[in-house]
Amino acid sequence: MDLQLKGKVILVTGGAKGIGAAIVRGCAVEDGVPIIVDRDANAARQLQSQLESSGKTAGFIPADLTSAQDCSLAVEQTLGDFGRLDVLVNNAGVNDRVGLEHGSPEKFVGSLERNLLHYYNMAHYGVSALKRSHGCIVNIASKTAVTGQGGTSGYVSAKGAILALTREWAVELLPYGIRVNAVVPAEVMTPLYEQWLATFQNPEEKLRLVTAKIPLGKRMTAPEEIAAMVLFLISGQASHVTGQHLFVDGGYVHLDRALT
Ligand code: NAP
């Protein structure tokens, strides 16, 4: 299947590690031009040089996405260096546990800055270029937007808003042929997830409890499995798919909880 990504300039926020890095690698394999926008310069440069040493092209733009100015500069630099923007993948985020009781109004706003505002800012600054390229957007959400989690009001409201904005932007951008979709992961083994597991006294036991509840295969989703859905959605093969929320979660959210 030809994904028609050759030469496409694909900006991936949080592209240095985890799900974002898998998306970046997948784009490079398809001869697209992934641009990593991330604050982890070491991981980003390492990934960039790995890709370049295998003959691929990849960009890196250091940015703190909680700054609207950095979002604007990331788009500007992409256009300056590569002349176009074909795809925006909004991916960076962190489940930062700003809860109802163990939080504060200020911490809640901080969580929205880490998880929501840059999704809007990147799309806002990128939309003119996407109109010119007839491009598309994929937003990475989280199952917690529809299941809740407890103790993480900021993250969950950001992820809920991301699902709503996916529909909103799909409608607003219809006249330009810009497709907008969301991918919804549940439990994916990434550096962020490993950090979370490490907060438990017995991380192996916690992981066993989590995977026991994942219907398909009783295992974590691999970052590459999220990336595969993103690659499809940004490809020419998904040319009539827009406004969708695609769950890549081994059946975690929708299948019968009584499954053993
Ligand atoms: P990850 O392993 O932490 O990788 C994310 C990358 O984004 C890191 O390099 C991180 O840098 C960077 N980043 C985060 N916030 C940033 C900011 N404000 N400015 C610049 N760079 C930033 O995370 P992941 O697990 O791949 O998660 C990716 C997305 O999937 C997130 O939106 C997350 O909510 C979503 N998701 C993940 C899971 C899961 O199970 N892993 C489940 C549902 C949804 P630092 O390391 O310096 O923070």
Side-chain angles (χ1 to χ4, degrees):
M1 189 187 279
D2 180 6
L3 297 184
Q4 301 160 38
L5 292 175
K6 190 169 181 183
K8 300 273 186 196
V9 176
I10 301 158
L11 193 159
V12 184
T13 69
K17 296 202 291 280
I19 291 169
I23 296 168
V24 165
R25 282 195 205 92
C27 291
V29 166
E30 295 297 324
D31 290 323
V33 180
I35 314 294
I36 303 162
V37 177
D38 205 291
R39 64 184 165 205
D40 187 340
N42 286 339
R45 288 197 201 288
Q46 204 178 351
L47 176 55
Q48 185 187 25
S49 52
Q50 271 169 14
L51 295 175
E52 287 175 349
S53 63
S54 55
K56 306 295 184 185
T57 308
F60 166 50
I61 301 172
D64 176 356
L65 291 156
T66 60
S67 151
Q69 195 189 7
D70 277 19
C71 293
S72 168
L73 287 173
V75 172
E76 216 174 281
Q77 194 177 327
T78 300
L79 296 177
D81 292 350
F82 297 94
R84 56 188 293 137
L85 175 65
D86 295 287
V87 179
L88 168 63
V89 181
N90 273 321
N91 163 73
V94 55
N95 191 342
D96 51 9
R97 311 214 166 230
V98 176
L100 190 56
E101 291 179 281
H102 304 290
S104 69
E106 295 75 23
K107 286 181 182 166
F108 184 75
V109 171
S111 179
L112 297 184
E113 281 170 356
R114 285 186 286 278
N115 289 299
L116 174 62
L117 303 193
H118 56 87
Y119 277 52
Y120 173 85
N121 294 339
M122 291 302 300
H124 170 74
Y125 292 119
V127 72
S128 301
L130 291 171
K131 278 160 80 170
R132 287 195 293 278
S133 64
H134 304 291
C136 63
I137 300 176
V138 171
N139 293 321
I140 304 298
S142 162
K143 66 125 183 353
T144 58
V146 292
T147 62
Q149 187 179 53
T152 193
S153 300
Y155 180 72
V156 164
S157 46
K159 293 302 188 183
I162 285 163
L163 292 181
L165 286 174
T166 298
R167 292 262 154 82
E168 166 68 3
W169 297 344
V171 173
E172 183 164 333
L173 300 177
L174 281 173
Y176 314 108
I178 298 176
R179 300 179 299 102
V180 187
N181 292 289
V183 174
V184 190
E187 309 288 343
V188 189
M189 191 49 80
T190 66
L192 184 65
Y193 202 95
E194 282 167 14
Q195 274 172 34
W196 175 72
L197 277 178
T199 64
F200 291 87
Q201 224 169 21
N202 187 341
E204 290 81 21
E205 174 62 5
K206 182 67 188 171
L207 181 59
R208 203 189 56 72
L209 290 173
V210 170
T211 52
K213 296 202 173 83
I214 299 172
L216 188 61
K218 307 285 183 211
R219 65 168 178 84
M220 301 289 287
T221 305
E224 291 71 24
E225 293 174 307
I226 305 294
M229 177 60 83
V230 172
L231 288 189
F232 170 70
L233 288 172
I234 66 176
S235 78
Q237 303 294 341
S239 49
H240 216 201
V241 181
T242 195
Q244 299 302 306
H245 302 161
L246 286 308
F247 288 73
V248 181
D249 67 353
Y252 192 99
V253 171
H254 291 97
L255 299 190
D256 190 335
R257 303 278 161 110
L259 288 168
T260 53

